[in-house]
Amino acid sequence: MKHKLTVLVAISAALTLAGCSQTTQSNTQSSQSKTSKVTKNSSDNSNTSTASSKNKDTYTKLSASKMDYKTTASAIAVYAAQKYGDTWEIAVNAAKQGNLGVAFRSKDATGITSDNDGYVYEVSGTGKSSNARYMLAGDGADKQVTIFVKQRNLGTTSLKDIVAYLNQKNDADLVKQLAEKTQLNVKLAGDEDTQKITNNSSASVIPSSLQGTWYTADTGNGNIDTLTVTDNKINDEAGFSMNVKAKTSGSSTSDGYMKQTTINGISFYSFTNMGQTPGQGSTYLAPHTEDGQSVIVSANSNGRTNAVYWKSEALAKKNSNKQFSDLKY
């Protein structure tokens, strides 16, 4: 009897130890499983955090060497609004709700005295004449921008420095949004040049073969530029604007005269500022025909083609940056 009890106690103890071992193993596996899940979740959170950080640090950037005329005007306006406030800030805030209008003015009309012989660009978001103005000198990213409030010179900086400032402020998206709503060579209410042009208008000077609205996509980036020619005025989106007179004398920087010349067998009309002779700095335009379509060829004084203008945007896009065998490039 005593021997049987001893055996039963031994069996009971063995069963108890086995149960404890299974429980301990089960608890260990459960703990390992939970630990594994926490580690995995922690890794996922880390990846999400890293991705979020990358997205936060990724912003649209502007390039001073790849800016069309509308984006340049928009960038200057946003820069001036942030740096100087005043009428520039008013213009930009108004443009956010409507359009950013840029008028081409002469120094005589604005009263600005500057060594720069170029045009004054007047910026408005309301469609009315504004005191927010700037002038340009040079080309490309090193182009110099002089900013004014009315006749007061606020300073000169380069386009690349403006772009660097805007990129640092992460304002590229705002610049591009305004550029889409920017209108160049507009007539602002109260624009003194409008009255001046009306008073000085004379008989037709520019031949009808050049007159009309023309389009080109020969901009290098696929954008459309517009050339508008009337009987005595030329405007293009590159910032060139001229009142063409029948005589070669005048005092306004916005006035010029026209002469006819043949270059490389093509009859061009040169448009030159008053007081200068045709050559470098002049605009050369020729009525021409390509692919059965009437076009205008724009060239330099050596007859090298700058752009071919077409009667419609569709034709301009179709023939973007195309070179024709009868033109010199």
Side-chain angles (χ1 to χ4, degrees):
M1 183 66 177
K2 185 176 179 179
H3 178 71
K4 289 181 178 180
L5 287 173
T6 301
V7 172
L8 288 173
V9 169
I11 293 172
S12 177
L15 291 173
T16 301
L17 288 172
C20 289
S21 175
Q22 290 177 353
T23 301
T24 300
Q25 185 176 0
S26 176
N27 289 340
T28 301
Q29 290 176 345
S30 177
S31 175
Q32 289 176 342
S33 177
K34 289 180 179 178
T35 302
S36 176
K37 287 181 179 179
V38 170
T39 302
K40 185 177 186 299
N41 289 340
S42 175
S43 175
D44 289 345
N45 289 339
S46 175
N47 291 338
T48 301
S49 175
T50 301
S52 176
S53 176
K54 287 181 179 179
N55 289 338
K56 185 176 180 181
D57 293 337
T58 302
Y59 297 99
T60 302
K61 298 293 185 182
L62 298 169
S63 172
S65 61
K66 298 179 181 179
M67 298 182 75
D68 58 25
Y69 306 117
K70 292 182 179 181
T71 306
T72 298
S74 174
I76 292 170
V78 173
Y79 170 83
Q82 292 200 14
K83 289 283 286 186
Y84 305 111
D86 199 79
T87 188
W88 280 100
E89 188 172 5
I90 293 172
V92 169
N93 286 338
K96 291 176 182 178
Q97 308 302 319
N99 295 310
L100 188 71
V102 183
F104 301 162
R105 307 283 302 277
S106 67
K107 289 196 298 181
D108 290 345
T110 59
I112 288 177
T113 57
S114 170
D115 293 336
N116 191 329
D117 291 328
Y119 297 100
V120 177
Y121 300 86
E122 188 167 294
V123 178
S124 174
T126 62
K128 297 180 180 180
S129 187
S130 164
N131 290 327
R133 299 162 176 169
Y134 66 90
M135 297 185 73
L136 302 174
D139 297 303
D142 293 322
K143 183 180 297 180
Q144 297 297 296
V145 183
T146 304
I147 298 172
F148 300 84
V149 168
K150 203 171 183 179
Q151 290 90 16
R152 181 160 56 97
N153 186 331
L154 301 181
T156 300
T157 187
S158 68
L159 181 59
K160 67 181 178 183
D161 285 341
I162 288 176
V163 167
Y165 175 90
L166 294 172
N167 283 336
Q168 185 179 20
K169 296 287 186 180
N170 302 316
D171 281 329
D173 287 336
L174 173 59
V175 170
K176 291 183 177 181
Q177 288 168 10
L178 284 185
E180 291 178 356
K181 301 191 295 181
T182 295
Q183 298 176 341
L184 301 177
N185 195 28
V186 300
K187 290 304 175 185
L188 301 174
D191 187 339
E192 295 173 28
D193 278 350
T194 302
Q195 186 64 35
K196 194 172 184 179
I197 292 168
T198 301
N199 292 340
N200 289 338
S201 292
S202 56
S204 179
V205 178
I206 302 174
S208 59
S209 56
L210 289 176
Q211 293 180 30
T213 301
W214 306 82
Y215 306 90
T216 185
D218 297 345
T219 56
N221 55 14
N223 292 332
I224 297 292
D225 281 354
T226 304
L227 171 69
T228 304
V229 184
T230 66
D231 55 358
N232 52 20
K233 188 174 179 65
I234 295 175
N235 286 301
D236 69 32
E237 290 190 342
F240 176 80
S241 181
M242 177 180 288
N243 304 317
V244 183
K245 305 296 182 182
K247 298 181 180 180
T248 60
S249 62
S251 58
S252 173
T253 57
S254 63
D255 289 347
Y257 64 94
M258 179 186 74
K259 282 193 172 183
Q260 191 170 12
T261 183
T262 299
I263 309 175
N264 301 327
I266 297 177
S267 180
F268 281 93
Y269 294 90
S270 66
F271 297 88
T272 309
N273 288 326
M274 293 298 184
Q276 297 180 340
T277 57
Q280 187 175 7
S282 299
T283 293
Y284 287 79
L285 302 176
H288 199 57
T289 301
E290 294 292 356
D291 288 347
Q293 299 288 333
S294 295
V295 300
I296 288 181
V297 178
S298 173
N300 61 20
S301 58
N302 294 321
R304 293 189 179 277
T305 304
N306 296 321
V308 176
Y309 287 86
W310 303 79
K311 273 295 188 180
S312 70
E313 291 189 34
L315 285 170
K317 290 179 180 178
K318 178 182 177 182
N319 295 281
S320 176
N321 299 310
K322 183 177 180 180
Q323 294 192 353
F324 298 92
S325 59
D326 59 332
L327 299 180
K328 183 178 179 181
Y329 291 89

